[in-house]
Amino acid sequence: MNVPALDILSAKKRTNVRLLLLATCLRMTARLSPSLAAGVLAKLFLRTRRQPTPPRESQWLESAVRTDIPSGDHRLAVWSWGEGPTALLVHGWEGRGSQLAAFVEPLLSMGFRVVTFDAPGHGQSSGRSSSLIDMADAIRDVAQWAGSVEAIVAHSAGASVTTIALDQGLQAKALVYLAPATDPGSFLGTVTAMLGLPPEIALVAQMRIEKRFDVYWSDLVGTALAPRMELPLTVFHDRNDREVPWTNGRDLVRPWPGATLRTVAGLGHRRILRDPEVIDSSIEWLGQSEEERNHQPHSAAN
């Protein structure tokens, strides 16, 4: 199971030739051996690409304590700031923990200890591929290392894996999701269509991934897990998000008991991580008492 192959989805802007060659080779392979093409597609879908760390993020990490912890076959790079109840920051696909570091100082000022990490195959952690299962396992391993988790702030596919980890027993008291993807696995169909491959190739690739991780695709969809969730949740999502549509946030909030959707504008998929108003609103909400959070009106905008 996995998340969108963003290097493919954004490749038109960067390397049209590379995409064309890849698509051509896979289409030829699909005609000769559909099974082989499905295997290549599955591996490609699980493959991750590390993005450069901007100077501002490197500066944030300089003030943290770096630790490396095991998670399955991987070594995770983990950073922590301060003392107190833990607030965990979870990045999205092909992201890194430092992308959410604008939340660190505000959370520290609220008395939290702040922890973030790079998921398997991401940032400074080991591996060249990842999956929803690997990332959810990593969250639970980091939480166990931290001792306990009070609050979680998660972005994009990081919200999906947080929901999966919660369903698997992760404990916390409050959640903030930023531009959450409700069903990252559905991007496999998008990638398949962009490559010009027949839909049946995507189905075989999906079945291979399911077999590898011993899980059904449908069991990892956020909207299916939402009714079982008991934690209060606030979602921030840009109505014009081009990478993860706003409808993902809306559809996640609807079945999630007590969840609230706050629609923003002009921030896209990543600027939302650094927007002062989003950060201030998140911190204010996380600073409320459990009773105050639990009694906020449910919001599911149309």
Side-chain angles (χ1 to χ4, degrees):
M1 314 307 289
N2 207 10
V3 286
L6 294 180
D7 56 329
I8 296 175
L9 294 179
S10 61
K12 280 188 175 181
K13 297 179 180 178
R14 300 190 315 272
T15 52
N16 287 324
V17 173
R18 177 187 172 199
L19 179 64
L20 179 60
L21 290 173
L22 175 63
T24 300
C25 290
L26 276 176
R27 286 196 296 268
M28 293 176 61
T29 302
R31 286 194 291 269
L32 297 172
S33 174
S35 178
L36 178 59
V40 173
L41 179 61
K43 289 182 179 180
L44 182 63
F45 193 63
L46 296 169
R47 181 63 62 91
T48 55
R49 186 189 59 166
R50 289 173 170 82
Q51 304 287 350
T53 303
R56 65 172 178 272
E57 295 180 20
S58 297
Q59 291 177 355
W60 283 326
L61 293 180
E62 288 177 359
S63 62
V65 176
R66 163 78 180 263
T67 307
D68 291 276
I69 69 169
S71 180
D73 296 331
H74 297 279
R75 298 291 298 180
L76 303 179
V78 182
W79 292 268
S80 63
W81 296 260
E83 299 180 355
T86 298
L88 181 61
L89 308 178
V90 183
H91 68 79
W93 185 253
E94 292 192 340
R96 55 200 171 273
S98 57
Q99 284 180 303
L100 289 90
F103 282 84
V104 172
E105 286 299 331
L107 285 168
L108 288 174
S109 70
M110 292 291 296
F112 285 103
R113 173 197 185 195
V114 185
V115 174
T116 193
F117 68 100
D118 291 340
H122 293 74
Q124 298 183 40
S125 293
S126 67
R128 300 181 63 185
S129 63
S130 197
S131 70
L132 292 178
I133 300 300
D134 291 330
M135 294 176 74
D137 288 346
I139 291 176
R140 291 188 290 109
D141 289 336
V142 171
Q144 183 177 12
W145 169 83
S148 64
V149 173
E150 179 97 5
I152 302 175
V153 180
H155 176 234
S156 192
S160 296
V161 295
T162 296
T163 303
I164 294 168
L166 290 167
D167 191 60
Q168 295 173 341
L170 175 68
Q171 299 294 312
K173 293 184 179 180
L175 307 172
V176 172
Y177 284 175
L178 307 169
T182 55
D183 182 14
S186 66
F187 283 85
L188 178 59
T190 303
V191 173
T192 303
M194 288 188 67
L195 293 172
L197 298 172
E200 53 267 28
I201 298 295
L203 179 60
V204 176
Q206 174 183 323
M207 293 173 63
R208 289 192 175 202
I209 296 171
E210 287 177 328
K211 183 177 180 180
R212 173 177 171 180
F213 293 100
D214 192 25
V215 66
Y216 287 111
W217 204 275
S218 57
D219 291 339
L220 304 180
V221 178
T223 50
L225 299 176
R228 303 205 291 263
M229 296 295 109
E230 299 179 353
L231 291 180
L233 165 69
T234 287
V235 171
F236 294 86
H237 213 140
D238 191 312
R239 188 176 289 276
N240 297 312
D241 190 325
R242 295 184 179 181
E243 294 189 30
V244 178
W246 171 85
T247 51
N248 279 244
R250 179 202 64 188
D251 293 346
L252 180 65
V253 163
R254 282 177 169 171
W256 190 302
T260 300
L261 174 64
R262 304 189 189 189
T263 300
V264 299
L267 299 178
H269 191 62
R270 290 181 176 79
R271 288 199 303 276
I272 197 170
L273 298 176
R274 304 188 301 274
D275 181 71
E277 291 187 10
V278 169
I279 294 173
D280 289 346
S281 296
S282 300
I283 300 302
E284 179 182 3
W285 186 76
L286 291 173
Q288 293 179 355
S289 68
E290 185 174 353
E291 182 178 2
E292 289 173 325
R293 290 194 295 259
N294 287 332
H295 286 83
Q296 288 197 16
H298 181 81
S299 172
N302 295 318

